[in-house]
Amino acid sequence: MAEINNTQYFKFNTDPEARVKMVLEVVYHAMAEKGYNPVNQIVGYIMSGDPTYITSHNNARSLIMKVERDELVEELLREYIKNESWQQEEK
C-alpha cells in the first residue's frame, strides 16, 4: 500500500503511434458492427476529410477526428511496410 505522504503517478500510454492504432481499431470495429466496409469508409474519410464517412457508433467519428489524417496515413503505411514479406527479404 502506498504511503499517504508520497505523490502517486498516473501513467498512461502517450505514444502517438499507439494512440493512432487504438483509434483505427475502434473505428474499424465500429464500422464493421454497423455493416459498413471499414476499409472503404476509412479511405473515404482520409481522402476527403469528411467525417460523415465514419459512423458515430461507439464514438468512432469523434475519436477519428482527434487524429490528423496524415497521422492515420503514416501509421497505416508503417504497419504495411512492417508486415510485408518483401521488406523482410531485404534484411
Side-chain angles (χ1 to χ4, degrees):
M1 186 163 168
E3 287 190 38
I4 197 161
N5 296 329
N6 293 335
T7 302
Q8 296 296 314
Y9 292 95
F10 180 76
K11 295 181 184 179
F12 59 94
N13 194 346
T14 57
D15 177 16
E17 290 177 25
R19 180 179 56 89
V20 174
K21 285 180 186 180
M22 182 276 303
V23 168
L24 283 169
E25 184 176 343
V26 169
V27 170
Y28 183 93
H29 290 295
M31 300 300 294
E33 284 177 14
K34 293 304 278 182
Y36 297 108
N37 179 323
V39 173
N40 288 350
Q41 297 303 113
I42 293 169
V43 167
Y45 170 70
I46 290 171
M47 296 298 291
S48 70
D50 183 353
T52 61
Y53 277 96
I54 307 300
T55 182
S56 58
H57 178 65
N58 287 346
N59 208 28
R61 185 178 298 158
S62 177
L63 276 175
I64 204 163
M65 290 171 54
K66 292 179 181 178
V67 177
E68 296 293 327
R69 289 183 294 150
D70 63 321
E71 290 179 282
L72 295 170
V73 172
E74 286 174 19
E75 186 57 33
L76 292 168
L77 183 58
R78 187 178 295 111
E79 284 298 311
Y80 175 80
I81 290 171
K82 183 172 92 176
N83 292 312
E84 275 304 301
S85 60
W86 56 264
Q87 177 69 14
Q88 287 149 13
E89 289 172 4
E90 293 177 1
K91 291 182 180 178

